[in-house]
Amino acid sequence: MEERKVADGDFVIKQGEDGDELFVVDSGVLKCYRKFPGEDEERYLKDYNPGESFGELALLYNAPRAATIKSEGDAILWVLDRACFNNIVKDAAIKKREKWEEFLS
């Protein structure tokens, strides 16, 4: 993981873009917006506060970003790239499989 500082008004992710990172909020507040089909304006959905994460959908499903995230003031984020994320998920899946194999043996 690497630390990333963002300034007030910075866009961390934009709806529709490709994504290869997951973010964890260390400090600050980020606003989440989404433009729904048939609507002209983006709709505010929620705030992301310290301890919360976002961006996992693009990594899990190899899909475009589902929303736009914009910093409301300065913020510090921790960033996890796709390769590291995949290793964590793979390791968890292996451990789960080994647990079931042991149980079934």
Side-chain angles (χ1 to χ4, degrees), residues 50-101:
E52 294 185 286
S53 62
F54 58 90
E56 71 284 355
L57 293 178
L59 299 181
L60 286 168
Y61 304 112
N62 200 25
R65 296 293 190 187
T68 296
I69 308 291
K70 184 178 178 181
S71 182
E72 182 80 12
D74 294 341
I76 298 175
L77 308 173
W78 289 96
V79 183
L80 187 67
D81 65 24
R82 182 182 297 277
C84 188
F85 178 82
N86 286 340
N87 283 332
I88 292 169
V89 171
K90 180 181 168 186
D91 287 347
I94 289 170
K95 287 178 184 177
K96 186 175 183 179
R97 186 185 75 226
E98 288 172 350
K99 177 183 169 186
W100 281 107
E101 286 175 348

Side-chain angles (χ1 to χ4, degrees), residues 18-70:
D18 289 334
D20 60 356
E21 296 173 322
L22 172 142
F23 301 88
V24 179
V25 182
D26 185 32
S27 66
V29 177
L30 296 104
K31 302 271 185 195
C32 178
Y33 301 90
R34 180 163 184 187
K35 185 174 181 184
F36 290 92
E39 295 183 9
D40 294 332
E41 298 292 320
E42 288 183 324
R43 190 185 314 174
Y44 165 78
L45 298 178
K46 70 169 283 172
D47 287 344
Y48 283 100
N49 296 294
E52 294 185 286
S53 62
F54 58 90
E56 71 284 355
L57 293 178
L59 299 181
L60 286 168
Y61 304 112
N62 200 25
R65 296 293 190 187
T68 296
I69 308 291
K70 184 178 178 181

